[in-house]
Amino acid sequence: MILEMKVPSPGESIKEVEIATWLVKDGDYVEKDQAIAEVDSDKATLELPAEAAGIITLKAEEGDTVAVGAVVCLIDTDGKPSGAAAPAAAKAEEAKPAAKAETPKAEAPKAAPAPATYAASTPSPAARKILDEKNIQPADVVGTGKDGRITKDDAMNAVPSMGTPTGGNRGSSRTKLSMLRRKVAERLVAAKNETAMLTTFNEVNMTPINLIRNEYKDAFKAKHGGLGLGYMSFFTKAVTRALQLYPDVNSMIDGDQKISYDFCDISVAVSGPKGLMVPVVRSAENLTFRGVEAEIKRLAIRARDGQITVDDMTGGTFTISNGGVFGSMLSTPIINPPQSGILGMHNIIERPIAVNGQVEIHPMMYVALSYDHRIIDGRESVGFLVAVKEGLENPAELLMGGNPMKALEL
């Protein structure tokens, strides 16, 4: 029986996907539930499992954009894996060493240089025109055509000498952007063009957080099954506190209406094999430090392994982006529409600052808040970022209720 495999719907709003990679070849035998392809939507990369066992016939090529519900391959469920192929393949492998042993004898005559002919370094008419336009002498080009003749491709790839060494590879390649990358690009341009985006900055003294982490991180890890106590839980808790103090930052525009949320779904930007992913930590205001760390770790692993789903990235009322892990000192993050705000974290560098009239060295981090000025005024944006700073510089009182051990569930 011939089974038609159709593209399943990855999400309610997705109408088409792109065949990113076929994991099998035409004519292969596949098992039921075996991953046969990776497909890109504008939100995530998903695996396509075989619906039955049999011989597969591909009906779409890598890079093709196909509609949800379209047939992408056929599976002949009556097909069986070929048992005769293995002995034949084994014989072929046994024959390879002998062939390799004879190779030097066959190629020995080629070692002698080819005699020069009138065609050597002679360009074809099309090649000559290109070389003249580039002001390149034929003698400076190595021809790959018959008897050393310079072909059109040779002329196209020739680079004029600038009086400096030109050794090394100077090639280039062209690849099609994945559907996910194209969608990310489209959304970033839209965010710049369709919002009144502005960025405000501040700096945070990370000493109080470092003191808490140094004191409790080992006990936290031992108590919670190897879970680390990182910076993201402190930043997430500081952000949810600030969002409750300044609810306009937790709002967004829909046409001529303003939508405000009484919950904090925090999108966390993470780098995955297919590009930037922004999974969502749901109701982060209700999570403990352990809960935030566990959820971020779960989502990061799914993004790294390419298992992130559309549901994982749907929604979100505010975004946190940590460019500091890549060494960024300062940046202006771009809003993740339709959200109205995004907090950018940066690297931590020890710098001299004034403390009670004295110069001291402390680990400092610049933070940046990009916001949509159409819905968030300067007072709210600056007040929000100051509230984040206050929470991070006094975490024991403002984020942990005065009892770090209880907040960390130790």
Side-chain angles (χ1 to χ4, degrees):
M1 182 181 78
I2 302 297
L3 172 69
E4 292 184 339
M5 271 201 60
K6 300 179 180 179
V7 178
S9 175
E12 191 174 318
S13 62
I14 298 176
K15 304 300 181 185
E16 61 183 18
V17 299
E18 184 177 284
I19 304 297
T21 307
W22 281 111
L23 304 177
V24 296
K25 299 189 294 293
D26 197 50
D28 280 357
Y29 179 83
V30 298
E31 300 285 353
K32 183 179 180 182
D33 296 328
Q34 175 185 342
I36 60 174
E38 289 183 350
V39 295
D40 281 344
S41 72
D42 59 7
K43 294 183 178 179
T45 298
L46 307 171
E47 286 188 345
L48 187 65
E51 296 178 6
I55 302 297
I56 193 168
T57 302
L58 308 183
K59 291 296 183 182
E61 297 183 358
E62 291 184 0
D64 284 355
T65 299
V66 293
V68 170
V71 176
V72 290
C73 65
L74 306 176
I75 298 180
D76 181 0
T77 57
D78 296 326
K80 303 295 180 184
S82 174
K91 290 180 180 178
E93 289 295 326
E94 290 174 4
K96 283 183 181 178
K100 288 180 180 177
E102 296 174 2
T103 299
K105 293 182 180 179
E107 292 183 352
K110 294 182 182 179
T117 70
Y118 73 94
S121 298
T122 301
S124 66
R128 180 177 292 281
K129 180 180 179 182
I130 295 171
L131 292 178
D132 288 343
E133 291 174 351
K134 292 184 173 184
N135 196 25
I136 299 176
Q137 296 299 318
D140 295 332
V141 180
V142 177
T144 61
K146 185 177 180 182
D147 296 326
R149 183 181 294 274
I150 298 173
T151 66
K152 181 179 179 181
D153 285 343
D154 295 332
M156 292 286 289
N157 294 328
V159 178
S161 175
M162 297 299 176
T164 57
T166 57
N169 183 13
R170 293 179 57 83
S172 62
S173 62
R174 184 185 296 267
T175 56
K176 185 177 181 181
L177 293 175
S178 68
M179 181 176 286
L180 177 61
R181 174 54 63 183
R182 296 199 302 270
K183 188 63 177 180
V184 168
E186 178 185 319
R187 287 169 62 85
L188 292 177
V189 172
K192 293 285 285 184
N193 293 339
E194 299 172 9
T195 65
M197 196 177 82
L198 201 63
T199 305
T200 184
F201 304 92
N202 215 315
E203 63 179 357
V204 176
N205 185 346
M206 301 295 289
T207 298
I209 291 178
N210 285 346
L211 291 175
I212 291 176
R213 291 182 70 240
N214 291 338
E215 183 174 356
Y216 297 110
K217 65 181 180 181
D218 291 338
F220 186 87
K221 189 172 185 178
K223 177 69 179 292
H224 302 303
L227 195 63
L229 179 60
Y231 291 114
M232 283 303 298
S233 54
F234 288 92
F235 272 83
T236 302
K237 299 299 286 184
V239 162
T240 56
R241 172 182 175 272
L243 288 175
Q244 291 168 335
L245 293 173
Y246 296 90
D248 279 353
V249 185
N250 203 39
S251 304
M252 57 187 67
I253 289 180
D254 183 13
D256 59 356
Q257 295 184 332
K258 168 184 171 182
I259 304 174
S260 298
Y261 300 95
D262 57 5
F263 56 87
C264 302
D265 282 357
I266 304 300
S267 303
V268 181
V270 297
S271 181
K274 297 292 183 178
L276 185 69
M277 305 285 183
V278 194
V280 181
V281 178
R282 312 285 177 186
S283 298
E285 76 279 9
N286 297 326
L287 295 179
T288 63
F289 278 79
R290 182 194 62 80
V292 172
E293 292 290 355
E295 183 64 2
I296 289 177
K297 181 179 179 180
R298 182 186 74 85
L299 293 171
I301 291 174
R302 288 177 64 81
R304 181 197 65 195
D305 295 343
Q307 297 176 344
I308 210 80
T309 66
V310 174
D311 290 340
D312 290 327
M313 296 189 290
T314 300
T317 61
F318 186 87
T319 296
I320 300 176
S321 177
N322 186 5
V325 296
F326 304 112
S328 171
M329 188 183 81
L330 194 61
S331 68
T332 55
I334 298 179
I335 296 169
N336 179 22
Q339 297 173 19
S340 299
I342 178 172
L343 179 73
M345 301 167 56
H346 300 91
N347 61 354
I348 301 172
I349 296 179
E350 290 193 340
R351 295 201 306 272
I353 63 171
V355 179
N356 298 324
Q358 301 294 321
V359 176
E360 298 181 6
I361 304 295
H362 285 271
M364 304 297 294
M365 176 193 286
Y366 289 120
V367 289
L369 172 70
S370 291
Y371 61 98
D372 189 346
H373 210 345
R374 296 177 303 167
I375 193 170
I376 303 171
D377 291 332
R379 174 184 172 276
E380 280 73 26
S381 63
V382 173
F384 171 87
L385 196 56
V386 169
V388 170
K389 172 184 171 70
E390 290 171 346
L392 295 172
E393 292 187 338
N394 190 7
E397 295 298 326
L398 299 181
L399 306 182
M400 297 177 158
N403 190 339
M405 290 193 67
K406 182 179 179 181
L408 298 175
E409 302 173 66
L410 299 178

